[in-house]
Amino acid sequence: MENYINQLRNYHLKATPQRIAITEALAMYGHLSIEQLYEVLKQKFNSLSLATIYKNINIMMENAFVSEVKLPEQKSVYELTKASHAHLQCKKCHNVWDIHLNLDDIIQNASKNSTFEIESANLVLSGLCENCRNEK
Amino acid sequence: MENYINQLRNYHLKATPQRIAITEALAMYGHLSIEQLYEVLKQKFNSLSLATIYKNINIMMENAFVSEVKLPEQKSVYELTKASHAHLQCKKCHNVWDIHLNLDDIIQNASKNSTFEIESANLVLSGLCENCRNEK
DNA sequence: TTAAATGCAAAAAATTTGCAGACGT
DNA sequence: ACGTCTGCAAATTTTTTGCATTTAA
């Protein structure tokens, strides 16, 4: 909590209660959509406005405190910015997990096959999570 | 052209002039956004409605004739469905290219590090294309 | 001939903006 | 105290829907 206040400040973001709550929610759940963030924070702030979520997520992305994860077949989710990693998306429950693959290898390999100067890689792996796989 | 008519029919899509034109545009340009498709087709059909683009792209995706490519920091583009491949996105000119990497290797490697049953991989590599790199 | 597609207008959904009052620093 | 943030309402943007007419097969 104190921790989140300082983290926000490190990214030049005023530590308002709403922003602290967004940070807490993302730290706890890992990946949330705009609508999910709204539902979670709504518990704590009953006068919360969706516009506040949008404004905050936008400025948090501009300041690289939060990152957007674009996913096939579902709405984007947002996460606290971390070291480069890939994502696992469950096609059944739609939850998202981090997976720590070496994206640099992929970038280097791809660089051999192109004239691009590749700076970053965005990888989403889709399938069934352990839970959903066992359910059927 | 005849060719596109049959391709559309293979995917259970009636070959209307608008759909043929969408197919031609995607075959020619590779990757186009909704708005770009609208602009391109508008040349040919001056009574064209944006709703027609949306309806067609949606049904073409349902029938797997067209695929959506979600990109970091820019609107989705659409392409004719092809064998599995990755994408290169230029951060300057915002154009998109296919790159034929072996995604199966990536999937197998990731599978070792997770309990997921991974079915597919979605990879977008971002950087500068040759043109934009040379311009500065 | 018939089911489906088109284009239009309207509706719905998603996102952004402006502003007055509240709040963090 | 100052500049920024919040919540609200309104505006804008994006996407979908309903319907009359047209069209592909």
Side-chain angles (χ1 to χ4, degrees):
Chain A
M1 165 67 163
E2 274 308 314
N3 198 14
Y4 295 144
I5 293 177
N6 289 324
Q7 283 194 256
L8 283 162
R9 288 181 184 158
N10 288 342
Y11 284 81
H12 307 103
L13 294 163
K14 250 194 208 177
T16 66
Q18 291 83 346
R19 287 179 183 172
I20 294 165
I22 288 174
T23 310
E24 284 173 346
L26 293 182
M28 167 171 281
Y29 294 104
H31 305 86
L32 294 172
S33 66
I34 293 287
E35 207 55 44
Q36 289 172 326
L37 269 172
Y38 180 68
E39 293 308 326
V40 171
L41 290 234
K42 189 76 179 172
Q43 310 299 319
K44 192 172 262 179
F45 309 94
N46 44 29
S47 67
L48 181 71
S49 167
L50 236 198
T52 299
I53 302 287
Y54 277 111
K55 284 172 185 166
N56 280 327
I57 285 294
N58 284 340
I59 195 177
M60 286 169 154
M61 287 199 292
E62 280 163 29
N63 294 16
F65 180 66
V66 159
S67 305
E68 179 176 6
V69 186
K70 292 200 179 183
L71 301 163
E73 335 251 284
Q74 77 180 77
K75 291 256 173 69
S76 287
V77 293
Y78 301 84
E79 67 183 3
L80 298 176
T81 302
K82 316 175 197 83
S84 168
H85 61 282
H87 292 99
L88 286 164
Q89 170 205 40
C90 178
K91 285 184 175 171
K92 201 167 165 199
C93 68
H94 300 121
N95 280 126
V96 175
W97 288 264
D98 289 345
I99 177 171
H100 295 277
L101 301 178
N102 191 336
L103 296 176
D104 285 338
D105 286 353
I106 293 173
I107 291 175
Q108 281 180 27
N109 185 254
S111 295
K112 285 183 215 147
N113 299 311
S114 111
T115 58
F116 250 67
E117 183 175 309
I118 303 175
E119 289 166 10
S120 57
N122 225 286
L123 175 62
V124 179
L125 300 158
S126 305
L128 291 176
C129 71
E130 197 171 11
N131 255 351
C132 288
R133 191 146 42 84
N134 290 334
E135 274 177 15
K136 254 224 78 176
Chain B
M1 164 68 162
E2 273 310 313
N3 198 15
Y4 294 144
I5 293 178
N6 289 324
Q7 283 196 254
L8 284 162
R9 289 181 183 158
N10 288 343
Y11 285 81
H12 307 102
L13 294 163
K14 248 195 211 177
T16 66
Q18 291 83 346
R19 287 179 183 173
I20 294 165
I22 288 175
T23 310
E24 284 173 345
L26 293 181
M28 167 171 281
Y29 293 106
H31 305 85
L32 294 172
S33 67
I34 293 288
E35 207 55 44
Q36 289 172 327
L37 268 172
Y38 181 67
E39 292 308 325
V40 171
L41 291 234
K42 190 74 181 173
Q43 310 298 319
K44 191 173 262 180
F45 308 94
N46 44 30
S47 68
L48 181 72
S49 167
L50 234 198
T52 299
I53 302 286
Y54 277 110
K55 285 172 184 166
N56 280 327
I57 285 295
N58 284 339
I59 195 177
M60 286 168 155
M61 288 199 292
E62 280 163 28
N63 293 15
F65 180 66
V66 159
S67 306
E68 179 175 5
V69 185
K70 292 200 179 183
L71 301 163
E73 335 252 285
Q74 78 180 77
K75 291 255 173 68
S76 287
V77 293
Y78 301 85
E79 66 182 3
L80 298 177
T81 302
K82 315 176 198 84
S84 168
H85 61 283
H87 292 99
L88 285 164
Q89 169 204 41
C90 179
K91 285 183 176 172
K92 201 166 164 199
C93 69
H94 301 120
N95 281 126
V96 176
W97 289 264
D98 290 345
I99 177 172
H100 295 277
L101 300 179
N102 191 336
L103 296 177
D104 285 338
D105 286 352
I106 294 173
I107 291 175
Q108 283 180 27
N109 185 253
S111 295
K112 286 183 216 149
N113 300 310
S114 111
T115 59
F116 250 67
E117 182 176 309
I118 303 174
E119 289 166 9
S120 57
N122 225 287
L123 175 61
V124 179
L125 300 158
S126 304
L128 290 176
C129 71
E130 197 172 10
N131 256 352
C132 289
R133 190 146 42 85
N134 290 334
E135 274 177 15
K136 252 223 81 169

